[in-house]
Amino acid sequence: MSESNSVLIGRKPAMNYVLACITLFHSGAKQVNIKARGKSISHAIDVVEIVRRKFLPDAKIAAISIGTDQLSPQDGETNNLTNVSTIEIVLER
Amino acid sequence: MSESNSVLIGRKPAMNYVLACITLFHSGAKQVNIKARGKSISHAIDVVEIVRRKFLPDAKIAAISIGTDQLSPQDGETNNLTNVSTIEIVLER
């Protein structure tokens, strides 16, 4: 799956990401990869549920995986690595 | 799987839920069901990752499913149903 079929979920309104997913499917993608980290994870689930329930009822969840990313310390912070949870949901049509 | 093997994730510190999961496994559970809705979903992923990475490296994720719950309107609110996303993660040992 090419990286261009990924939608990275951030803090914008859910509809922005829903539209991004629908646009990818309409441009011929068979799979769309929805990724999020930290607090955006709940938002990613919202996006997937809106896409499936309101717009593309034929879209299926092909896979859900979770994991942990280690963030390097930011300038001025202590040297501790911060762990952040991640999720990746593959929608298939 | 009996309902008593479920851990419902809320707003308490992650360690409370991590301990609940470990206690269930140590009391003989083969599977523990971790459930969350709305903003607690990110917290649920954190709990699962901490259990797997720090405490029970032999625990595997058997299944992850997402869905939508409809909440009835609260007293004094308008009659619109509110949709809230849900997640259920099955940890297996």
Side-chain angles (χ1 to χ4, degrees), chain A residues 24 36 48 77 80 83 86 93:
Chain A
L24 281 169
V48 171
E77 290 184 6
N80 297 324
N83 289 324
T86 62
R93 212 187 163 191

Coordinates of all heavy atoms in Angstrom, one line a residue, chain A residues 24 36 48 77 80 83 86 93:
Chain A
L24 N -9.9 9.9 -1.3 CA -9.0 8.8 -1.7 C -9.7 7.6 -2.3 O -9.3 7.1 -3.3 CB -8.2 8.3 -0.4 CG -7.0 9.2 0.0 CD1 -6.5 8.8 1.3 CD2 -5.9 9.2 -1.1
A36 N -3.3 7.6 13.8 CA -3.3 8.7 14.8 C -2.5 8.3 16.0 O -2.1 7.1 16.2 CB -4.8 8.8 15.3
V48 N -13.5 7.1 11.3 CA -13.8 5.8 10.7 C -15.2 5.5 10.8 O -15.9 5.0 9.8 CB -12.9 4.7 11.3 CG1 -13.4 3.3 10.8 CG2 -11.4 4.9 11.1
E77 N 13.2 20.4 27.7 CA 12.7 19.4 28.6 C 13.7 18.5 29.1 O 14.9 18.5 28.7 CB 11.6 18.6 27.8 CG 10.4 19.4 27.5 CD 9.3 18.6 26.9 OE1 9.4 17.4 26.8 OE2 8.3 19.2 26.5
N80 N 14.0 12.5 29.4 CA 13.2 11.3 29.4 C 12.5 11.1 28.0 O 12.0 12.1 27.5 CB 12.2 11.3 30.5 CG 12.8 11.3 31.8 OD1 13.8 10.7 32.0 ND2 12.2 12.1 32.8
N83 N 6.5 8.1 25.9 CA 5.8 7.1 25.1 C 4.5 7.6 24.7 O 3.8 8.2 25.5 CB 5.6 5.8 25.9 CG 6.9 5.1 26.1 OD1 7.8 5.0 25.3 ND2 7.1 4.5 27.3
T86 N -0.2 4.6 19.6 CA -0.6 4.9 18.2 C -1.7 3.9 17.8 O -1.8 2.8 18.4 CB 0.6 4.7 17.3 OG1 1.0 3.3 17.3 CG2 1.8 5.6 17.6
R93 N -12.4 -1.2 0.6 CA -13.6 -1.0 -0.1 C -13.7 -2.0 -1.3 O -12.7 -2.3 -1.9 CB -13.7 0.4 -0.7 CG -15.1 0.9 -0.7 CD -15.1 2.1 -1.5 NE -16.5 2.4 -1.9 CZ -16.8 3.4 -2.7 NH1 -15.9 4.2 -3.2 NH2 -18.1 3.6 -3.0

